[in-house]
Amino acid sequence: MTRKKVLITGGAGFIGGNFVQYMINKSPSYDIFNLDLLTYAGDLTKHRDIESKKNYHFVKADIADRDIIISLFENEKFDYVVHFAAESHVDRSITDPGVFVKTNVLGTQVLLDAAKLVGVTKFVHVSTDEVYGELDFDPTTFFTEDTPLQPNSPYSASKASSDLLVRAYHETYGLPVNITRCSNNYGPYHFPEKLIPLTISRVLNNQKVPIYGDGKNIRDWLHVLDHCAAIDLVMHEGVNGEVYNIGGHNERTNLEVVKTIINTLGKSEDLIKFVKDRLGHDKRYAIDSTKLEKLGWKPTFTFETGIAQTIQWYLDNKEWWEQIISGKYQGYFEKQYNV
Ligand code: NAD
Ligand code: TYD
């Protein structure tokens, strides 16, 4: 069998990192190239067990650096691109939107040009349900692939912009693309600035957990490994030009999520601290993933099994998240939320 070259951008981050390991273990006949700038969110220690494998390669580069990206594609002639690299935190996009436009919009366009130049078999653009904006609290309403794009934060606006560029490269140049729009992920190696790992790490250290507003905002949670399996399916079976929503019907209020973690760890709910609401805070996200299910995907974790596995992982891997919060993040949350 001829070996295929797969470029995974953002493979030092949370979801991209899980996807790198998933592909290395599942498809030894693929050569995996992990391209990452190693921003604050990128960390290679998670790949210690695979870094000596012959089919794993790491490239440190900025996806927005056109010359480097074009020459890398000319040299390697990738078959597949799975594009995760992004600025991904809504709160950061509220304080500093510029880098979101550079990385998420310009970076995606540079990759699209490079993919077009060498004629890739497939370009999978990993996007988010946040491009659809927000739903109200009516539990019978869901985002479908036909829901209009109405992003509310600079983060989701930059992701929606990149989605439109991906679509345009398919319509204009016939580039074989798919766009995936997944709900909130959780699982191993989730950076501890996001709600679930932030809560687990702070509760384990007996520190207050900041909940924005009244805690009634709803997110639809999917275990990262179910997301990886969905992307694998889309990469190989997705119909060119199509968008696929990904979600497992695990809607929870933020308060429910935080209380579940506190109770699982046997700690007191007094650790909860309600703080000032996020600007433009989206009320509710909920995904209809019927289209992807018809392609052959279904989630393997419920929220209960997934959160139990994730809490256990954080208990077993304290060294990984401690080095982050005790290093460059020392004092960050205290300052940001006054907790
Ligand atoms: P993350 O912040 O954990 O990781 C992002 C990675 O991209 C980091 O390793 C970082 O170093 C790298 N990166 C950032 N800027 C770069 C640049 N200019 N060039 C090269 N690399 C760069 O993000 P994540 O949570 O793993 O999200 C990955 C993708 O999935 C993003 O595109 C995000 O929009 C999408 N997504 C995330 C979620 C979620 O719940 N986390 C849900 C749906 C979709
Ligand atoms: P987050 O993990 O940042 O993901 P996103 O904003 O992309 O959905 O936040 C998830 C939810 O949790 C969101 O409604 C904001 C809320 N939240 C808090 O209440 N407190 C926190 O400290 C954080 C980081 C998030």
Side-chain angles (χ1 to χ4, degrees), residues 89 130 184 193 195 198 210-212 219 254 278 281:
H89 191 37
E130 300 190 28
N184 285 62
E193 68 182 345
L195 180 68
L198 174 103
I211 293 194
Y212 302 162
R219 297 294 182 262
N254 294 336
R278 172 187 278 174
H281 196 172

Side-chain angles (χ1 to χ4, degrees), residues 100-117:
F100 284 72
V101 175
K102 182 176 181 229
T103 291
N104 300 0
V105 186
L106 180 63
T108 299
Q109 191 251 329
V110 167
L111 287 169
L112 287 166
D113 272 348
K116 173 162 87 68
L117 187 73

Side-chain angles (χ1 to χ4, degrees), residues 9-17 35-43 46 61-64 83-89 99 102-104 107 125-130 155 159 180-186 189-191 193-194 221 227:
T9 71
F14 165 45
I15 310 175
L35 183 148
D36 200 293
L37 184 60
L38 300 181
T39 66
Y40 79 94
D43 144 72
K46 57 170 70 81
D62 183 343
I63 55 168
H83 174 35
F84 295 90
E87 287 292 336
S88 68
H89 191 37
V99 67
K102 182 176 181 229
T103 291
N104 300 0
H125 178 59
V126 180
S127 190
T128 163
D129 61 354
E130 300 190 28
Y155 162 65
K159 292 296 289 188
T180 59
R181 296 189 180 134
C182 191
S183 57
N184 285 62
N185 281 215
Y186 66 99
Y189 297 117
H190 203 179
F191 195 83
E193 68 182 345
K194 307 278 172 71
W221 295 96
H227 190 186

Side-chain angles (χ1 to χ4, degrees), residues 129-130 135 141-143 181-186 196 217-223 245-254 257 283-289 297 299 303:
D129 61 354
E130 300 190 28
L135 295 164
T141 55
F142 298 93
F143 294 135
R181 296 189 180 134
C182 191
S183 57
N184 285 62
N185 281 215
Y186 66 99
I196 287 183
N217 301 61
I218 290 175
R219 297 294 182 262
D220 184 359
W221 295 96
L222 187 75
H223 193 280
N245 282 353
I246 311 173
H249 292 291
N250 288 302
E251 289 179 47
R252 298 287 186 283
T253 65
N254 294 336
V257 168
K283 286 202 257 308
R284 172 174 168 258
Y285 304 144
I287 278 277
D288 176 346
S289 54
W297 174 84
F303 185 69

